[in-house]
């Protein structure tokens, strides 16, 4: 028998809804489904073969293909830092409001310390109430230096200060925490572009909240177009999420997800496990 | 207003002289797509579109209305029946201390909204105070204190205390003495998997008996909105919802789903990071944003 367009559409409809229900952006679910459809329509299969099973397996493979960048371009952060000749290795965390950049900056510092690397934090959120105190307290807990200026100071200047401080002392890494910003605000995107331009980070990381819906695609795309992201971190994965956010980020940035945040403690940073996410998305 | 694709689907639908089943089906698919792209819960979308499809197939139109007007009216009616026709105010009993407690998922905007709400009340002549009961997040005390100082509203917190209920009670007693009419309690972020944090929220609700518990929802929250909101509503009596970050590109379907899950009306929306960026909820503009 031949796989007809009608049969593929019917099979894909249910599977698409499952992906969308797991927070895969509708656009991404559509694009992946279109690829599957193109490859299956007109294909001859055995009379006893189950079309729904074939479509499902084909979709699963398409999802694996999107997530493959996480395997092929996996970043070994510790090696990258150790291999950089001219210290410091500069990491910048960017993203919209409330996704977990500040806590993630502290988690990364905690990780580096445990791996025998020294690092400092840069308080480049000079706008939001309590942002400087928040990062200072993290630095205090971790017993590391935080470079800060006052509220209203230039975010890029703070980052620049931090890099110079680290360079003078041969410190392994600088982790720059930036202010949350909606990617639709042109002025705020100019501000973060300036921070990146001034310090030229080795790693520009987009921090995304795993509970985000279709907006994840717009956020990741805009930050990527403006800054050229090197990778992403997905937070709040412990909130019983279904994993679609990871697919949307991988799809639009074509860059790896380095870590996932799985709680509110410093230890709650894990490596992104592709198999685990595929199992969540297509059980 | 409707998005381009949905408008086109409506145009196709109404060009048909009789009820064209194919045109209705195409319209329903576009409607589902618009709602899903807006982050509306999948089950809710299927339920809504089934109802609208059935009604759109009715051959008998009410007198004096075109099929186009009928279909659009139907979509807005179905969505409005969830959201309500107009925004309701927060009811403050005069001459007494009203306790308003903000709860929600980590990073949703509770602390910022507490500040915004305090300024909103103060502007309307209500004696207002802020209390920080977030004992987990670093700098939570400083964050709310700075907002309180910015708008010159009294503030209470106990930076060294770990017991949120104790701080809340002490803050409320303190401000009752000061004849404060609206005491806004900011709480720590939490999600439904964090059982002990949910226990804390239940404790807070039982011990301080707020006049109103407000669930703060991020405007870009996705498919988990329905089930998370449901968990909050089953743990405490959620009286209303505030949707934040609608100055961004989130379409608000998560918030709509939260309303459907809790039965609580949206009373305010956050439209920016500044303390003035709080607006009363306006169902028509929310719906036009939802539908693209
Ligand atoms: N459960 C859980 N909570 C998290 C995770 N990551 C961050 N959070 C919480 O999310 C909230 C926001 O975290 P922040 O680090 O302040 O977020 P941010 O992106 O720096 O926020 P802004 O600077 O205001 O844009 C805090 O309550 C964190 O404890 C995570 O992986 N799991
Ligand atoms: N653009 C925008 N940002 C907002 C809005 N409301 C809050 N924010 C920002 O969202 C981020 C998180 O706000 P918070 O008030 O710290 O959130 P929270 O719910 O108290 O966070 P936790 O206490 O950690 O759970 C901050 O950067 C706020 O400035 C809004 O309406 N628009
Ligand atoms: Mg921050
Ligand atoms: Mg808070």
């Amino acid at each position: 028998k031949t796989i007809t367009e009608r049969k593929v559409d019917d099979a894909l409809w249910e599977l698409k809804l499952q992906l969308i229900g797991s927070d895969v952006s509708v656009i991404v679910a559509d694009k992946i489904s279109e690829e599957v459809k193109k490859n299956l329509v007109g294909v001859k299969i055995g009379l006893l073969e189950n079309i729904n099973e074939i479509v499902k397996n084909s979709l699963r493979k398409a999802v694996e293909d999107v997530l493959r960048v996480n395997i092929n371009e996996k970043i070994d952060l510790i090696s990258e830092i150790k291999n950089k000749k001219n210290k410091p290795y500069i990491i910048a965390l960017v993203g919209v409001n409330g996704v977990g950049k500040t806590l993630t900056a502290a988690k990364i510092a905690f990780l580096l310390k445990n791996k025998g690397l020294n690092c400092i934090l840069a308080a480049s959120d000079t706008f939001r109430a309590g942002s400087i105190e928040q990062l200072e307290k993290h630095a205090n807990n971790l017993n590391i230096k935080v470079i800060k200026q006052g509220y209203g100071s230039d975010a890029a200047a703070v980052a620049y200060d931090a890099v110079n401080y680290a360079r003078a002392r041969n410190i392994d890494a600088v982790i720059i925490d930036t202010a949350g910003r909606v990617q639709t605000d042109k002025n705020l995107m100019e501000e973060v572009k300036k921070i990146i331009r001034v310090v030229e980070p080795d790693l520009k990381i987009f921090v995304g909240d795993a509970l985000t819906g279709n907006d994840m695609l717009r956020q990741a795309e805009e930050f990527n177009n403006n800054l050229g992201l090197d990778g992403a971190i997905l937070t709040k994965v412990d909130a019983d999420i279904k994993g679609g956010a990871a697919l949307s980020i991988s799809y639009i940035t074509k860059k790896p997800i380095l870590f996932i945040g799985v709680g509110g403690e410093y230890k709650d940073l894990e490596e992104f496990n592709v198999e685990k996410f595929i199992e969540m998305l297509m059980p | 207003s409707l998005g381009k694709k949905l408008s086109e689907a409506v145009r196709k639908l109404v060009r048909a002289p009789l009820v064209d089943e194919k045109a209705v089906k195409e319209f329903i698919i576009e409607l589902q797509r618009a709602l899903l792209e807006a982050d509306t819960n999948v089950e809710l979308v299927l339920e809504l579109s089934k109802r609208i499809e059935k009604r759109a197939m009715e051959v008998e139109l009410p007198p004096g209305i075109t099929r186009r007007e009928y279909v659009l009216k139907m979509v807005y009616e179905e969505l409005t029946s969830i959201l309500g026709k107009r925004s309701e105010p927060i009811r403050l009993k005069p001459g007494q201390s009203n306790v308003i407690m903000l709860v929600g998922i980590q990073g949703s905007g509770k602390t910022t909204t507490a500040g915004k709400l305090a300024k909103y009340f103060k502007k309307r002549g209500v004696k207002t105070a802020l209390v920080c009961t977030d004992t987990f997040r670093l700098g939570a005390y400083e964050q709310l204190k700075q907002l309180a100082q910015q708008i010159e509203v009294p503030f209470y917190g106990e930076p060294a205390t770990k017991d949120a209920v104790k701080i809340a009670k002490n803050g409320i007693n303190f401000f009752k003495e000061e004849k404060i009419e609206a005491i806004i309690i900011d709480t720590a972020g939490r999600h439904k998997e964090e059982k002990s944090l949910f226990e804390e929220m239940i404790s807070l609700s039982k011990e301080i008996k707020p006049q109103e518990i407000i669930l703060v929802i991020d405007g870009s929250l996705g498919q988990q909105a329905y089930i998370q909101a449901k968990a909050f509503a089953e743990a405490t009596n959620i009286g209303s919802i505030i949707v934040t970050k609608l100055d961004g590109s989130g379409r608000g379907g998560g918030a709509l789903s939260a309303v459907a899950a809790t039965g609580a009306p949206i009373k305010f929306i956050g439209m920016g990071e500044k303390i003035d960026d709080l607006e009363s909820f306006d169902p028509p503009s929310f719906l036009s944003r939802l539908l693209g």
Side-chain angles (χ1 to χ4, degrees), chain B residues 26-248:
Chain B
E26 279 183 30
F27 165 73
I28 289 297
I29 290 194
E30 281 311 319
L31 176 66
Q32 287 175 335
R33 194 206 164 76
L35 291 172
L36 289 175
E37 279 190 314
D39 299 320
T40 313
N41 181 272
V42 173
E43 311 266 309
L44 184 60
V45 170
L46 294 178
E47 189 187 314
L48 274 171
S49 56
K50 213 187 242 138
R51 268 210 301 279
I52 292 173
E53 179 171 15
K54 187 158 170 289
R55 292 177 62 189
M57 296 295 277
E58 280 164 11
V59 185
E60 290 288 343
L61 285 178
I65 188 171
T66 66
R67 178 142 335 256
R68 173 193 171 78
E69 288 169 343
Y70 185 55
V71 164
L72 287 180
K73 186 167 170 294
M74 207 189 306
V75 173
Y76 272 88
E77 267 179 24
E78 286 289 344
L79 294 173
T80 303
S81 74
I82 299 173
L83 287 174
K85 287 215 181 62
R86 76 205 95 234
S87 138
E88 296 176 34
I90 292 181
R91 307 209 185 284
L92 300 177
K93 296 204 182 120
Q96 70 169 64
S97 273
N98 296 270
V99 175
I100 296 162
M101 185 164 98
L102 300 182
V103 300
I105 294 172
Q106 286 89 345
S108 58
K110 298 173 292 301
T111 305
T112 309
T113 302
K116 289 178 178 180
L117 207 53
K119 176 158 192 184
Y120 181 89
F121 285 150
K122 180 178 179 185
K123 262 187 28 201
R124 283 155 180 76
V126 176
K127 290 187 73 190
T128 309
L130 288 163
V131 178
C132 169
T133 69
D134 184 347
T135 58
F136 176 73
R137 173 173 160 149
L138 296 190
Y141 172 92
E142 285 78 4
Q143 182 183 4
L144 191 58
K145 183 170 186 193
Q146 286 173 21
L147 292 175
Q149 284 168 341
Q150 191 185 328
I151 56 175
E152 294 179 23
V153 150
F155 168 77
Y156 185 91
E158 295 178 23
T161 309
K162 286 297 162 209
D163 183 344
V165 177
K166 185 150 163 277
I167 302 172
K169 283 181 166 171
N170 291 344
I172 291 168
N173 288 336
F174 180 79
F175 287 128
K176 272 187 171 161
E177 289 288 318
E178 306 280 312
K179 302 275 187 269
I180 297 291
E181 299 167 295
I183 304 171
I184 300 172
I185 315 274
D186 181 25
T187 71
R190 69 201 79 223
H191 59 70
K192 68 176 173 62
E193 303 309 304
E194 295 166 321
K195 299 301 175 201
S196 61
L197 289 183
F198 258 57
E199 287 304 314
E200 177 192 83
M201 177 173 67
I202 293 168
S203 244
L204 276 167
S205 165
K206 287 202 173 117
E207 300 279 337
I208 69 179
K209 302 188 178 51
Q211 256 64 50
E212 180 125 345
I213 300 177
I214 305 179
L215 178 62
V216 179
I217 297 258
D218 187 317
S220 67
L221 186 56
Q223 289 291 324
Q224 292 296 308
Y226 190 94
I227 192 167
Q228 287 282 352
K230 195 145 181 56
F232 275 89
E234 285 173 354
T236 59
N237 177 18
I238 300 294
S240 61
I241 291 174
I242 293 182
V243 188
T244 62
K245 310 179 200 172
L246 288 183
D247 48 311

Side-chain angles (χ1 to χ4, degrees), chain A residues 244-270:
Chain A
L247 198 61
S248 302
I249 290 181
S250 296
Y251 182 88
I252 202 80
T253 64
K254 310 241 183 313
K255 286 289 181 321
I257 295 169
L258 286 92
F259 298 108
I260 56 172
V262 293
E265 307 290 341
Y266 297 132
K267 63 171 175 52
D268 296 326
L269 191 72
E270 294 177 2

Side-chain angles (χ1 to χ4, degrees), chain A residues 92-95 97 101 123-128 131 150-159 176-183 185-199 201 223 226-227, chain B residues 273:
Chain A
L93 299 181
V94 300
N97 309 71
K101 298 175 293 300
S124 278
D125 179 352
T126 58
F127 168 74
R128 203 210 69 210
S131 62
Y151 286 102
S153 59
D154 184 69
V158 177
I176 303 168
D177 179 27
T178 69
R181 67 201 71 232
V182 289
Q183 84 286 357
D185 187 317
K186 293 271 180 277
N187 292 333
L188 293 184
M189 290 311 283
E190 280 309 312
E191 178 195 72
V192 72
K193 276 163 87 170
K194 180 176 168 203
I195 298 173
I196 301 304
R197 206 169 45 241
V198 163
V199 295
F223 274 91
N226 275 288
L227 309 177
Chain B
E273 293 189 68

